[in-house]
Amino acid sequence: MYDDETLGAVRAQLERVAAYDFYGAKFDKAGIDPAAIDSWEDFRDVPFTTADELEADFEANPPEGSCYPGESMICFTPMGDDLKPVFDTQPDLEHMAAVNATVFERASIRRGDRVLNTFGYHLFGTGLLIHRGLEQLGAEVIPLGPGDSEQAASVIDEFDVDALIGNPSYALKIGAAGGHVNRFVGAGEPFTSIPGLREEVKEALGCETACDYFGSRQILPVAAETTAEDGLYVTTDYALVEVVDPDTGEVVGPGNRGELVVTHVKKEGAPLVRYRTGDLADVGVRDGRVVLPNGVIGRTDGRLKVKGVKLYPEAVGLVLAGFDGLTGNYRLTVSRPDATDHLAIVCEGRQTARNCGTPSQSVCSSNRTRSNSSQNSKTVPRSWTNATERPSTPRTVRPSRYPFIVRPPDTESTCPVTNPASSEAK
């Protein structure tokens, strides 16, 4: 899937990161000599990195952890229950800017275009990284940040803005406020993996193209669409992507769904090596380029098993999207009343949502229920988060595309709906 040139770049990166205590100890324990990695099979012997391990390193070496290179821009990213630093040296920033410039150019943003950047510039620094890439391309950038959709629409109109970059949900609000642009790049939350959302955004903004962009504050960008709008192409000069079975850690072949694992191809500060993201996707190769054909389609940590079959709860949402009259809100209940797994799906109808007095009544009084075992469990899911408590009463919700997975005790699992906020590129 990747060529020998990429393998050489990854080998050089592993030799560099081995100088950090965190990776040096991991490689020694696993018997890995980075200089001796001569094949992708050798690379797969390199141990995974997890968020728990990184958290432990920060705790053992406060406050920077052991992967601090010095002389860096320091931003932050959510990790566990806290924020942890991310370090970018000057060469890191220059390389990211060049990669992002290429990505935006492929999304049809051109030199001289006026671009409204609605990602935040504070604390996380995502907006700043996007800004540098746009400047590298030669675009004019308006650093608006998130917030007031009416103000954003006004700026777009007054200054004849060509392109908008930000969360798809915020783009819908800007469009509703009268903001119209020719091009949109969406990130920070599920976008093209949600059926119909691209078309909804394009209609709201009146734009010709709407491209998906995937990355996290730790590794930005990972993959992005072109104007063909046919999947996210991996930025192989910056990030290496693998897809592994979430249970076994074995790499799965093209077209198979699994957990995304990412590795920096070139990074000095806080580098990631085979980092398990918890994001769910499938990967393929198209015209020699590595692509995520369906974008990022969910999370691995909300997975259930029904009759021995893996069920990603948001898979159900994509099936329901094919039915008229539904809002997209739904609740799953998995039970075992007679030693056989039973999956019940409760859906919210549009008429019910209009008539109910409160959001919680809308969900509890939904007008359609379907039950089956797990025939649809392999449908491509969206994205979700998880919790460990089951509410004693129905959860108050508002219309949302993002289910909140609730893990109740023992024999029954319930999945109601809420709306986790997202404001940084993911």
Side-chain angles (χ1 to χ4, degrees):
M1 190 161 64
Y2 296 101
D3 58 22
D4 290 342
E5 182 179 353
T6 303
L7 178 63
V10 170
R11 180 171 55 243
Q13 173 71 0
L14 295 180
E15 291 184 69
R16 287 191 293 269
V17 304
Y20 290 120
D21 291 344
F22 176 75
Y23 286 112
K26 283 176 66 72
F27 294 168
D28 288 344
K29 184 177 180 180
I32 299 296
D33 176 7
I37 293 178
D38 291 325
S39 67
W40 291 113
E41 288 73 20
D42 291 342
F43 175 72
R44 290 170 185 170
D45 291 331
V46 175
F48 293 116
T49 302
T50 67
D52 288 344
E53 289 178 315
L54 293 176
E55 281 191 84
D57 182 63
F58 282 118
E59 291 175 5
N61 304 277
E64 297 95 351
S66 68
C67 295
Y68 170 58
E71 298 182 5
S72 302
M73 181 179 80
I74 303 176
C75 294
F76 295 87
T77 187
M79 187 177 292
D81 297 327
D82 202 353
L83 296 176
K84 300 299 181 185
V86 178
F87 308 110
D88 297 299
T89 65
Q90 188 61 34
D92 288 340
L93 293 170
E94 292 172 357
H95 185 47
M96 273 189 285
V99 173
N100 271 313
T102 299
V103 164
F104 295 139
E105 186 174 32
R106 289 172 178 167
S108 107
I109 296 176
R110 299 180 290 268
R111 175 176 294 275
D113 278 351
R114 189 164 289 171
V115 183
L116 191 70
N117 181 12
T118 62
F119 282 115
Y121 284 68
H122 64 284
L123 195 62
F124 300 109
T126 305
L128 179 60
L129 299 180
I130 298 295
H131 188 120
R132 291 176 65 104
L134 290 166
E135 285 191 331
Q136 178 85 10
L137 178 60
E140 293 183 340
V141 191
I142 300 176
L144 188 70
D148 188 335
S149 56
E150 292 186 358
Q151 181 187 49
S154 176
V155 170
I156 287 172
D157 180 60
E158 183 175 359
F159 290 90
D160 195 21
V161 170
D162 300 293
L164 172 68
I165 295 182
N167 296 142
S169 59
Y170 189 42
L172 291 173
K173 294 179 181 179
I174 293 173
H180 295 91
V181 295
N182 294 326
R183 296 175 288 282
F184 173 67
V185 176
E189 59 193 25
F191 183 21
T192 58
S193 57
I194 301 176
L197 183 55
R198 189 203 304 270
E199 291 72 22
E200 192 176 344
V201 169
K202 291 175 81 168
E203 182 179 358
L205 294 174
C207 59
E208 300 171 1
T209 60
C211 298
D212 204 348
Y213 175 111
F214 169 66
S216 72
R217 183 55 191 87
Q218 294 166 287
I219 182 165
L220 186 80
V222 173
E225 282 193 303
T226 70
T227 52
E229 297 180 349
D230 61 351
L232 285 75
Y233 290 87
V234 176
T235 56
T236 50
D237 50 349
Y238 182 72
L240 182 82
V241 166
E242 304 169 88
V243 176
V244 304
D245 185 294
D247 294 323
T248 67
E250 294 295 320
V251 174
V252 301
N256 293 296
R257 189 178 309 150
E259 180 181 4
L260 277 179
V261 174
V262 296
T263 298
H264 277 114
V265 174
K266 183 180 179 182
K267 185 71 159 64
E268 293 181 348
L272 297 178
V273 174
R274 302 202 80 198
Y275 179 71
R276 300 188 67 153
T277 64
D279 291 306
L280 189 69
D282 54 76
V283 67
V285 179
R286 187 184 297 154
D287 298 327
R289 297 180 63 191
V290 182
V291 62
L292 307 180
N294 300 300
V296 176
I297 50 184
R299 293 284 300 173
T300 62
D301 44 20
R303 185 182 56 209
L304 304 171
K305 273 196 175 183
V306 182
K307 288 190 174 180
V309 179
K310 296 173 184 175
L311 169 64
Y312 296 96
E314 286 208 342
V316 177
L318 297 193
V319 175
L320 298 179
F323 290 84
D324 293 332
L326 300 181
T327 66
N329 295 336
Y330 58 93
R331 181 174 65 233
L332 308 184
T333 301
V334 180
S335 58
R336 183 175 289 184
D338 51 5
T340 300
D341 290 341
H342 181 79
L343 172 62
I345 306 172
V346 182
C347 312
E348 180 187 57
R350 295 188 185 279
Q351 186 64 42
T352 303
R354 286 195 295 268
N355 292 341
C356 288
T358 67
S360 61
Q361 290 174 326
S362 301
V363 172
C364 295
S365 304
S366 61
N367 65 354
R368 183 180 298 194
T369 301
R370 301 184 62 200
S371 298
N372 58 34
S373 57
S374 58
Q375 294 94 328
N376 296 325
S377 64
K378 292 185 178 180
T379 308
V380 178
R382 299 190 294 264
S383 176
W384 63 85
T385 56
N386 74 78
T388 57
E389 297 179 349
R390 178 185 180 187
S392 57
T393 57
R395 185 183 297 274
T396 299
V397 301
R398 54 181 173 169
S400 166
R401 297 176 182 268
Y402 311 108
F404 191 96
I405 304 310
V406 175
R407 292 186 177 280
D410 302 324
T411 60
E412 189 175 274
S413 295
T414 305
C415 303
V417 182
T418 189
N419 188 15
S422 175
S423 61
E424 296 301 327
K426 183 180 177 183

